[in-house]
Amino acid sequence: MKVCVIGGAGYVGLVTGLGLADLGHRVVNVDIDEARIARLRQGDSPIHEEGIGPVLERNLEAGRIRFTQELSDSLADSEVVFIAVGTPSQGDGQADLSAVIEVAENLLRCWNLPERPQERRGPHERYRVVAVKSTVPVGAIDLVRGILCRELREGVDFDLVSNPEFLREGQGLHDFFHPDRIVVGACSDRATQTMRALYAAIIGGPAAASGETDAEHGQATGPAVPFVETDLASAQMIKYASNAFLAARISFINEIAWLCERLGADVKEVAGGMGLDPRIGHAYLEAGLGFGGPCLEKDLKSLIQIAEANGYEPQFLRSVLDRNERQVEEVVAKLKQMIGSLLYQRTIAVFGLAFKPNTNDIRNSASLKVIRRLKQEGATIKAHDPMVSPGAPLAHSESMGSDASASIDAIDTIFDDPYEAADGADAVLILTDWPQYAELDYTRIRDHMVNPCIFDARNLLDSKALGDLGYQYAGIGVAAVSSR
Ligand code: UGA
């Protein structure tokens, strides 16, 4: 099928476009970001994503994907047009729909351009599906429809669908090819069938059997993936409710963690024991610094705002957010319990700046929020992150927000080497659970610290081993270890 992805140099758009190209579709990714489009044409991905390099290379080589800034050319014969632009959170939590509105207006403008003779098509070929991938509040799809129907040239026929994404940053391509479900909200059977055909190779339908898909990913090898056909509003709510539920699990386990500390229980043991119940499961029960990043908090705030706008007081959702926001303050308070409340001129080695491991994305990172608090109290911050190093380009820096930029600028020094970051420190603070931090030589680190103290706000390290090395150790919701 012929597909156009608008917002095709952004995270969701790029992963979607590449995934569809790898399934054998002909894809054009359109984006206004000139620099990113130029890089992508050279086979250089502007986002860090497991396995993205080879997928980009082979689909460029095979001519299955191209990158452009020109929307009008790309639209001419697309059967499915994805809208995958960003919907950042505004101050009140409301999703900023300006990019989506602009795309709808540009689509209308392009559709209304006179057809060139070579593009002239029969009425049945003029049908397209416009699939909204961006996370937008329920009424926003009507807004898009309203724009598209305004003065639409006769003969242009389209349906709008909602096709939310569930990709996790860092493993987006894996999630694209191995989804737990594909959700399509539509109000016409024709649109649903078009989307089903598009994803057929993944859900185990006819395209997989035809053998025309890429051998590496395009074959439906596992069990069939559920294809959820629903209405527009329910599809959008599935996305919001899923992210809110993941956030709720994290806030829940963080609340249990603070209780565990007071009761002498160990939250890792508790979460492990709870997760064995298949009704509960193990995922998203890791206590720590709380959820950060560009999605969970943004979507939770947006859902709260949607509830209020519709006359409902979302008490539960509010407390999920509130628990998460308090986490930073409580982590700082606990650090003070360990090393004393006067942080002025104390040196803190921060391990981890990204909002989670395997990404260099620091947008809305809880680590930076902690750093900001420590700086306010006069601490000196020496930081390390395996993927955020001095001079290295940051993912999504254009949408990083002033808070993140200010916090990263406030760091006294970012080191390429964690041992240098810890040299002369009063405490090491683990703020992102990069697995490599568990492999460091903590004897070497101890010998160069002013005070052998580790606060592991991600419960990553082996507390007993550190206690044996003479460290004062604390995690979140786990037994503290005093230095000998
Ligand atoms: C999240 C969802 O997991 C995706 O399904 C969704 O598609 C995406 O948002 C989106 O809406 O675009 P992502 O933002 O990449 O994906 O991040 P997650 O891997 O879910 O992690 C979010 C945060 O929760 C991180 O800061 C992580 O450290 C934290 N977390 C996660 C915990 O504190 N504890 C856990 O047990 C799990």
Side-chain angles (χ1 to χ4, degrees), residues 67-148:
F67 297 93
T68 178
Q69 286 178 271
E70 271 309 313
L71 180 61
S72 50
D73 287 354
S74 332
L75 276 180
D77 54 2
S78 297
E79 297 158 83
V80 180
V81 178
F82 280 100
I83 300 182
V85 292
T87 52
S89 204
Q90 302 185 93
D92 59 356
Q94 211 172 329
D96 177 353
L97 298 176
S98 51
V100 174
I101 292 171
E102 198 180 323
V103 167
E105 283 172 346
N106 284 335
L107 272 178
L108 178 68
R109 186 178 50 76
C110 293
W111 282 349
N112 280 348
L113 291 174
E115 273 177 324
R116 286 174 288 200
Q118 69 271 26
E119 289 168 5
R120 234 159 246 150
R121 299 184 294 164
H124 67 285
E125 291 169 320
R126 288 190 182 147
Y127 174 77
R128 293 139 176 138
V129 169
V130 177
V132 180
K133 269 235 171 273
S134 309
T135 305
V136 292
V138 174
I141 295 223
D142 291 333
L143 180 74
V144 173
R145 182 183 292 108
I147 296 171
L148 291 179

Side-chain angles (χ1 to χ4, degrees), residues 2 60 78 111 132 155 162 191 200 293 305 400 439:
K2 289 174 180 156
L60 275 174
S78 297
W111 282 349
V132 180
S162 166
Q305 201 279 329
M400 218 162 74
E439 307 301 324

Side-chain angles (χ1 to χ4, degrees), residues 12 135 165-169 171 239 243 246 250 254 283-296 299 355-357 433 458:
V12 172
T135 305
E165 57 88 14
F166 303 98
L167 312 172
R168 285 163 301 173
E169 206 167 307
Q171 34 197 321
K239 167 70 185 190
N243 271 4
L246 295 174
I250 298 169
N254 282 334
Y284 286 75
L285 283 185
E286 278 171 34
L289 195 47
F291 52 86
C295 303
L296 293 194
D299 290 350
F355 83 94
K356 66 175 186 178
D433 42 347
R458 293 287 182 182

